[in-house]
Amino acid sequence: MAFFLLNKNLIQILVLLVTATFSVAARPRILELWVPETDLLTYHNGAVLQGNIPVSILWYGHFTSNQKSIVTDFLLSLTSTTQASTPSVSQWWKTIDQMYLSKVGDNGQPSQVYLGNQVSDESCSIGKYLTMSQISQLAATAGLQQGGITLVLTADDVAVEEFCMNRCGLHASDQSTKSTFIWVGNSATQCPGQCAWPFHQPMYGPQNPPLGAPNGDVGIDGMVINIASLLAGTVTNPFGDGYFQGSKEAPLEAATACQGIYGKGAYAGYPGQLQMDPADGCSYNAYGANSRKYLLPGLFDPSTSTCSTLV
């Protein structure tokens, strides 16, 4: 009987596969039947970052005061005590807390990000070409804190190993100190089509007109998108055993699982329906501190297996 049931199930699978082959356009959801449970973005029983999360910054290379304030205002906006217009950066952060962080343990209190110390290395003390090991060293010199995050931000004239080829940034951890760091580069002069889309035409695919950068700086506004994406990944999967999908070595995480999705109706090459400032034509989906506007990535909702956006 067991053998018969197995073969009967195989026949049903073959019928469904044939049906999917000839009617994908009409019934695309049938393909979802073949997504293995292990390939979904799920919790792997490891640690997440919770509570009060300090974020320190190492500015490597030259950044103007306005460029620095765009980034720091974003970080201050995450758990701002001042009521911002909606949709807001703090709403985006609360979504991470509610969908991911609050599900782990019995902390009971909302998690908050606060801005820690900032260090500038404008002279590029170890050169203008950095390896990944040197990024890790820079994070350590900035002062890694247990349960905290160090941002290593490299200027537009600093080349980093595999930057623009395979990545726009990364997050990693130091197991000895139980601390984490994020590196993001300014792609303005190196690969804005890859790391600052949709504020620059993409390197490949449909060449639609770029959107206006909400703070008037394509490179820095692009950095904020990447910082936000990696921040979401860092707090939900800091040590590689938290929330992720796929391979532990190359995981999809809370925001990277929704790459390129910023508003409703998004698809490849189209970021979705966004808000536009009639005064300067810039596009955004979140209000921040000090009258800032930002474009933030969609977040994967594990309960619905869909991407959640602010607009």
Side-chain angles (χ1 to χ4, degrees):
M1 181 63 71
F3 182 79
F4 172 79
L5 289 175
L6 177 62
N7 279 276
K8 183 178 180 182
N9 288 336
L10 285 174
I11 292 170
Q12 290 174 336
I13 290 171
L14 289 172
V15 170
L16 286 172
L17 284 174
V18 171
T19 303
T21 302
F22 289 99
S23 60
V24 168
R27 299 175 61 193
R29 290 183 61 83
I30 199 168
L31 298 180
E32 295 179 8
L33 295 173
W34 312 112
V35 178
E37 186 69 23
T38 54
D39 283 347
L40 300 176
L41 196 154
T42 55
Y43 179 51
H44 294 78
N45 302 313
V48 297
L49 298 187
Q50 294 172 300
N52 293 323
I53 305 169
V55 178
S56 302
I57 306 176
L58 171 64
W59 305 94
Y60 191 82
H62 177 68
F63 291 87
T64 67
S65 58
N66 183 58
Q67 288 177 327
K68 290 182 178 181
S69 68
I70 293 171
V71 175
T72 56
D73 282 346
F74 164 67
L75 295 173
L76 292 170
S77 301
L78 289 167
T79 48
S80 174
T81 56
T82 303
Q83 184 64 40
S85 301
T86 56
S88 67
V89 175
S90 61
Q91 281 182 305
W92 182 83
W93 172 257
K94 287 176 182 175
T95 301
I96 296 174
D97 193 19
Q98 292 167 359
M99 291 196 306
Y100 292 93
L101 308 184
S102 65
K103 307 292 185 184
V104 178
D106 54 359
N107 185 37
Q109 298 297 319
S111 295
Q112 301 186 60
V113 171
Y114 67 90
L115 186 60
N117 65 304
Q118 299 183 55
V119 179
S120 292
D121 186 349
E122 190 159 347
S123 64
C124 298
S125 59
I126 56 175
K128 289 194 173 184
Y129 177 80
L130 303 177
T131 63
M132 285 295 104
S133 62
Q134 288 175 311
I135 293 291
S136 179
Q137 292 168 18
L138 287 172
T141 61
L144 295 169
Q145 285 184 265
Q146 184 173 353
I149 303 170
T150 297
L151 283 179
V152 178
L153 305 179
T154 51
D156 58 1
D157 61 345
V158 176
V160 178
E161 181 183 2
E162 296 188 6
F163 183 44
C164 295
M165 292 181 286
N166 296 316
R167 56 178 63 131
C168 302
L170 60 77
H171 76 85
S173 62
D174 185 325
Q175 291 289 350
S176 64
T177 60
K178 291 297 180 183
S179 59
T180 61
F181 67 89
I182 294 171
W183 159 69
V184 174
N186 185 345
S187 66
T189 60
Q190 299 182 55
C191 57
Q194 181 170 337
C195 295
W197 183 87
F199 304 130
H200 191 281
Q201 286 184 309
M203 294 179 66
Y204 310 103
Q207 296 298 298
N208 297 321
L211 303 182
N215 296 290
D217 191 312
V218 169
I220 300 297
D221 280 308
M223 287 185 81
V224 170
I225 291 175
N226 295 322
I227 291 170
S229 179
L230 289 165
L231 178 66
T234 300
V235 297
T236 58
N237 188 34
F239 306 113
D241 54 5
Y243 287 92
F244 67 90
Q245 171 185 343
S247 163
K248 184 175 181 178
E249 290 71 30
L252 288 178
E253 298 172 326
T256 54
C258 297
Q259 189 169 0
I261 297 176
Y262 302 96
K264 289 181 174 60
Y267 54 83
Y270 173 62
Q273 301 171 20
L274 306 174
Q275 298 197 18
M276 179 179 289
D277 189 327
D280 57 16
C282 75
S283 296
Y284 61 96
N285 62 7
Y287 291 96
N290 299 318
S291 302
R292 294 286 187 190
K293 300 180 182 71
Y294 296 100
L295 186 63
L296 303 181
L299 297 167
F300 187 83
D301 184 344
S303 67
T304 62
S305 296
T306 60
C307 292
S308 173
T309 59
L310 288 168
V311 295

